[in-house]
Amino acid sequence: MFTRSLNRFLCLSLFVLSTHSAFAESLTTAESDELIKEDVAATQVLATVCPKIMGKNAIFEKKAQQLSESYLKNMSVKNMTLAQLAQDTEYQAILAAAQADAIEVGQDEQKSVCGEMLEIES
């Protein structure tokens, strides 16, 4: 499985979010769904890591939720929820890899990524 640092993961996630429709024609459904699962996993990891670094932040929580929901809208399975995705074995493996990557990233980089997440326009 391809893993990336948390910062790169978030940057790529934001890039995919903003350009998803431009690349949709060149990806298979399975490839597109896998990218979306990676994006959701990255967001969910940040949703658990960032409050430990920044403290509880309602704005951050709202943005993380909105970002996850916006990714899920692009899944091939329509009306996919986070709870449903959490039951997917491929997603579980992707999430575990993202969690392992987050452990390897230093706290300064994590803090930076968390700050970037707050700057995302809703």
Side-chain angles (χ1 to χ4, degrees):
M1 180 176 302
F2 182 72
T3 60
R4 334 169 209 190
S5 77
L6 191 58
N7 192 21
R8 183 168 174 220
F9 207 44
L10 178 62
C11 291
L12 287 174
S13 296
L14 297 176
F15 175 76
V16 170
L17 177 64
S18 63
T19 60
H20 189 271
S21 61
F23 292 109
E25 294 176 12
S26 64
L27 296 175
T28 67
T29 301
E31 291 169 331
S32 178
D33 282 352
E34 183 176 354
L35 286 174
I36 292 166
K37 289 174 185 180
E38 289 176 357
D39 295 338
V40 172
T43 304
Q44 293 306 301
V45 168
L46 290 174
T48 59
V49 169
C50 294
K52 294 174 186 173
I53 295 170
M54 304 179 335
K56 188 167 175 69
N57 184 315
I59 295 171
F60 177 85
E61 291 174 14
K62 181 179 178 183
K63 288 186 180 207
Q65 182 67 29
Q66 289 174 335
L67 191 56
S68 290
E69 289 172 2
S70 69
Y71 290 137
L72 290 172
K73 288 178 185 176
N74 293 313
M75 291 284 295
S76 63
V77 176
K78 297 301 173 201
N79 301 316
M80 173 72 74
T81 66
L82 193 54
Q84 291 169 322
L85 185 61
Q87 302 303 311
D88 180 86
T89 54
E90 181 183 37
Y91 174 75
Q92 291 170 357
I94 290 169
L95 180 61
Q99 290 167 332
D101 287 347
I103 292 169
E104 295 178 14
V105 175
Q107 191 167 359
D108 288 341
E109 186 175 354
Q110 288 177 352
K111 188 174 183 175
S112 173
V113 173
C114 295
E116 290 173 21
M117 183 99 160
L118 280 171
E119 295 175 13
I120 295 173
E121 302 258 339
S122 299

